Amino acid sequence: MVTEMTKYDFILMSGDMDAFLEKLQSIGVVDITRSTKPVDDHSEKLSSRAGVLRKALALLKNVTPAEFAEKGNADYASDVVETVAEMETLQARLPVLQKEADDLVPWGRFDKASFDKLKEQGLKLHFYKAKAIDPDWKEQYALSEISNLGGYSYFVVVSDSDDYDFPLKELPAPEKDYLALEKEIAALQDDIAKKESHLAELKCREAAIQKELDKTLSKLDLHLAHVSGEKAAEDYITVFEGFAPKENEAALHDMLEQENVFCLVDKAQVDDNPPIKLKNNKFVSMFELLTDMYGRPKYDEFDPTVFISIFFMLFFAFCMGDAGYGLVLILASLGLKKVLGKIAPLGITLGIATTVVGFLFHTFFSVDMLTWSWLPEGVKRIMLPSQIAGYDGTMVLALLVGIVHICLAMIVKTYQSTKVKGFANSLGTWGWTLLIVGGVIVGGLALMGVMDKALTKWIIIVLGSLSALGIFFLNDLKRNPLLNFGSGLWETYNTATGLLGDVLSYLRLYALGLAGAKLGEAFNAIGLQALGDGGFGWVAFILIVVIGHTLNVAMCVLGAFVHPLRLNFLEFFKNSGYEGTGRKYEPLKS
């Protein structure tokens, strides 16, 4: 639910501005309309410093801590960034030197100064490698074999004239001695180890860096709010625009009275572009991070989080479709609670939903629970039948859920359009909703035998007639009827083709669940084959099943996150008319 906002225009003397903003910052409920990007040198410096601090924290994330020697007021964040940059440079150099060392192995130790002396005497060394040395070469050239490695002979030929010619392609002369290069590599590795050790020491300053980041962001926020005020009356008066939730009015008004600050108070309107604060219960609020991935609603839009919370959870469970995998998710989320943070409750919730749906689909680690003889028949009867009307039960259910999802989106769109535009300007939307949602309901009741054929026929005729009026003739009361009719025809074509594709998109729920189940079955079958008559086969069986299902769970979780998100962001949002262009509520806080 979108929280109702109150708009404030604060009017105060320019000299009182800093103290007033600090007071607002301490209360932490007013969102000052301000720039989100640096606007001057000071904000640029603060933003740049915040970037360094964020980067340092990100670099330290996976570093193991070590004891740290106190260095006074050292700039730990910059030290982290510089240390990592230097370490990356050294690490990039290491494989280059190792490649050079590998190339030098066949030539062993040598003194380059001796090569230079030979050149001064008119002698030159030529380096070659071949599968085998031709005996005639030894007769014709001053040839000496150095080594034989990897099926190749490495040799040098000495020449004393410029018209020298040899039947093989000459290799580049080695520039360094192998042992000298090994010492250089060892020194480089030692430098890398020192950098890693220093980085481990800096890990102990992670809390201090985080504290400085919070302080820097607070300063930046306050400064941006400061420069956002409009100066008037020859810079003696400053005007600020801000928004606060209506529920915080009392506390804010008390502070303004104590500070003797004059302000204009009004109910926030859509044209004011107020910030969006979502207010949901504990269950729905877990899914707000998914809403924020797409965009918060505008001030006059509906909050889609409640719909996402239900259908994303359901779709995720559909894609996983295994009670055993659901239990794994629950245990993993509980075990990694400290690492996952706020995401852990969401993981547990999705795991519970997967367990329930997997039970209804009678699948436990890709084993059909209906084959368990010890499971009571009463329990089996509440599970989804394998076949519905001759088709796979899971596939039919996925399509039915998709139809319900789209119908709900159209109902929401109709409600939202009527709320914003009024009933008269939403007749076209009403027409489509009556036709599709009404048709689905009537068709469903007829298939279940609730209504007889004659009544069904008349209801369909009435629905069709009313829908046609809205779609073809009343979709825009201010437009020419012929244009309305043409627009209705075009929209009919788009809707008919689009809806078919939208409904078929929900088959991915069935397909992903089926793919995960079949892959799990394959691991089970391989494990049973390895088991054989027992003995050491049990070790192989356990390894294959555990590793196989672990990989399968990981792949299933990825698919079960992406595809349900797509169905909500594309199919539901498109049919509900959701735009999601609102800005997030970010109150000025200390």
Side-chain angles (χ1 to χ4, degrees):
M1 181 176 70
V2 176
T3 302
E4 187 176 351
M5 288 285 172
T6 302
K7 178 184 175 183
Y8 295 86
D9 287 307
F10 303 106
I11 303 172
L12 61 155
M13 302 300 292
S14 297
D16 300 332
M17 181 170 51
D18 292 338
F20 174 69
L21 286 174
E22 289 178 2
K23 192 69 177 179
L24 284 183
Q25 195 175 37
S26 66
I27 295 176
V29 297
V30 181
D31 185 311
I32 296 292
T33 303
R34 55 198 184 272
S35 170
T36 57
K37 296 180 180 179
V39 295
D40 55 18
D41 289 342
H42 185 59
S43 59
E44 181 67 45
K45 289 178 182 178
L46 288 172
S47 180
S48 176
R49 181 58 182 169
V52 172
L53 293 166
R54 283 197 186 97
K55 185 174 182 181
L57 289 171
L59 293 171
L60 287 174
K61 189 174 182 180
N62 297 318
V63 175
T64 303
E67 292 185 6
F68 185 68
E70 189 62 49
K71 288 191 176 183
N73 297 321
D75 185 351
Y76 301 122
S78 297
D79 197 358
V80 170
V81 175
E82 290 170 7
T83 301
V84 171
E86 292 169 359
M87 191 168 67
E88 288 176 346
T89 301
L90 295 174
Q91 288 173 334
R93 174 67 178 151
L94 186 60
V96 176
L97 291 180
Q98 289 173 333
K99 175 65 170 59
E100 289 182 18
D102 291 340
D103 293 340
L104 287 176
V105 168
W107 307 113
R109 295 195 63 182
F110 59 85
D111 182 6
K112 193 157 188 318
S114 300
F115 289 176
D116 296 335
K117 288 181 181 179
L118 289 174
K119 285 183 181 180
E120 292 174 1
Q121 298 173 10
L123 299 176
K124 186 177 180 181
L125 293 179
H126 305 274
F127 297 79
Y128 299 96
K129 75 172 183 178
K131 283 287 187 181
I133 297 176
D134 190 326
D136 293 340
W137 295 346
K138 291 183 178 181
E139 299 292 332
Q140 300 175 27
Y141 303 96
L143 184 151
S144 177
E145 185 176 13
I146 305 300
S147 65
N148 194 306
L149 294 172
Y152 283 92
S153 291
Y154 293 82
F155 58 94
V156 295
V157 176
V158 181
S159 67
D160 58 358
S161 63
D162 294 334
D163 59 351
Y164 164 83
D165 184 36
F166 195 81
L168 293 180
K169 183 179 178 181
E170 187 174 349
L171 299 176
E175 296 292 330
K176 297 178 182 179
D177 174 63
Y178 174 71
L179 292 182
L181 195 57
E182 272 196 330
K183 290 180 181 179
E184 188 176 345
I185 290 173
L188 188 64
Q189 290 173 331
D190 185 54
D191 288 341
I192 292 173
K194 288 178 180 177
K195 298 294 180 186
E196 289 175 341
S197 176
H198 184 52
L199 203 60
E201 293 173 352
L202 288 170
K203 173 73 172 180
C204 298
R205 292 293 174 264
E206 194 171 21
I209 296 172
Q210 181 64 58
K211 185 177 180 181
E212 185 185 350
L213 174 60
D214 295 339
K215 188 176 180 181
T216 302
L217 291 175
S218 179
K219 287 181 179 179
L220 177 61
D221 200 24
L222 186 62
H223 181 71
L224 291 176
H226 182 282
V227 298
S228 68
E230 296 182 8
K231 300 292 179 67
E234 297 183 359
D235 286 352
Y236 285 105
I237 296 176
T238 302
V239 181
F240 288 95
E241 180 186 77
F243 298 87
K246 189 176 180 180
E247 61 198 39
N248 299 121
E249 274 186 359
L252 183 58
H253 288 180
D254 289 343
M255 185 276 288
L256 294 174
E257 287 180 8
Q258 291 175 9
E259 298 294 321
N260 198 24
V261 174
F262 178 75
C263 67
L264 301 176
V265 182
D266 195 9
K267 184 179 180 180
Q269 304 295 327
V270 177
D271 293 340
D272 297 326
N273 189 28
I276 305 302
K277 179 184 179 183
L278 301 179
K279 185 179 181 181
N280 295 298
N281 60 40
K282 191 174 181 180
F283 169 74
V284 176
S285 62
M286 290 190 298
F287 296 85
E288 287 180 2
L289 62 93
L290 302 181
T291 300
D292 286 337
M293 290 175 66
Y294 188 90
R296 294 209 167 184
K298 295 188 298 183
Y299 195 59
D300 60 345
E301 271 191 314
F302 68 97
D303 179 9
T305 313
V306 64
F307 302 105
I308 291 176
S309 66
I310 297 170
F311 286 98
F312 179 84
M313 180 179 66
L314 180 61
F315 294 164
F316 183 95
F318 252 90
C319 292
M320 296 294 288
D322 191 296
Y325 289 1
L327 294 176
V328 170
L329 281 178
I330 295 171
L331 294 174
S333 299
L334 287 171
L336 299 173
K337 201 169 184 178
K338 290 184 178 180
V339 177
L340 296 175
K342 294 181 180 180
I343 303 177
L346 179 60
I348 294 170
T349 303
L350 295 176
I352 293 172
T354 300
T355 303
V356 173
V357 171
F359 171 77
L360 294 176
F361 288 175
H362 44 83
T363 304
F364 188 84
F365 287 107
S366 301
V367 177
D368 190 350
M369 296 166 67
L370 293 176
T371 61
W372 293 352
S373 58
W374 54 267
L375 198 65
E377 290 299 321
V379 175
K380 291 181 180 180
R381 277 196 292 270
I382 65 175
M383 295 178 177
L384 183 73
S386 300
Q387 297 286 319
I388 297 178
Y391 297 97
D392 186 282
T394 311
M395 182 184 73
V396 173
L397 193 58
L399 290 174
L400 289 176
V401 170
I403 291 170
V404 171
H405 198 217
I406 291 174
C407 287
L408 182 60
M410 298 189 74
I411 292 172
V412 171
K413 181 179 182 179
T414 305
Y415 168 78
Q416 185 70 16
S417 179
T418 305
K419 176 184 172 183
V420 176
K421 300 178 183 178
F423 178 74
N425 294 318
S426 305
L427 292 175
T429 306
W430 272 96
W432 281 113
T433 303
L434 282 174
L435 180 65
I436 295 170
V437 179
V440 168
I441 294 173
V442 172
L445 292 175
L447 286 173
M448 290 187 293
V450 176
M451 295 190 305
D452 58 34
K453 293 183 179 179
L455 180 59
T456 303
K457 176 183 176 182
W458 280 108
I459 292 177
I460 289 175
I461 291 173
V462 172
L463 281 177
S465 300
L466 291 174
S467 300
L469 282 173
I471 294 169
F472 295 106
F473 302 104
L474 303 176
N475 52 58
D476 190 339
L477 298 178
K478 299 177 182 179
R479 194 164 52 185
N480 186 297
L482 292 176
L483 288 176
N484 278 346
F485 185 76
S487 175
L489 287 175
W490 177 246
E491 192 173 355
T492 299
Y493 169 76
N494 289 329
T495 303
T497 55
L499 277 177
L500 179 61
D502 290 346
V503 172
L504 292 177
S505 288
Y506 290 86
L507 283 174
R508 71 184 66 240
L509 301 175
Y510 160 70
L512 286 168
L514 180 64
K518 292 301 180 184
L519 189 57
E521 287 177 8
F523 286 122
N524 291 342
I526 295 171
L528 288 173
Q529 287 181 354
L531 176 60
D533 296 327
F536 288 106
W538 279 105
V539 177
F541 171 78
I542 293 171
L543 287 175
I544 292 170
V545 170
V546 170
I547 295 174
H549 281 290
T550 299
L551 292 173
N552 199 24
V553 168
M555 290 188 291
C556 286
V557 167
L558 180 61
F561 179 81
V562 173
H563 291 281
L565 208 59
R566 179 195 183 280
L567 291 173
N568 280 280
F569 285 0
L570 291 184
E571 274 68 26
F572 185 81
F573 284 178
K574 179 181 71 174
N575 287 290
S576 65
Y578 180 74
E579 294 181 20
T581 55
R583 65 186 181 94
K584 189 177 181 180
Y585 169 67
E586 295 179 333
L588 200 60
K589 290 184 178 180
S590 56

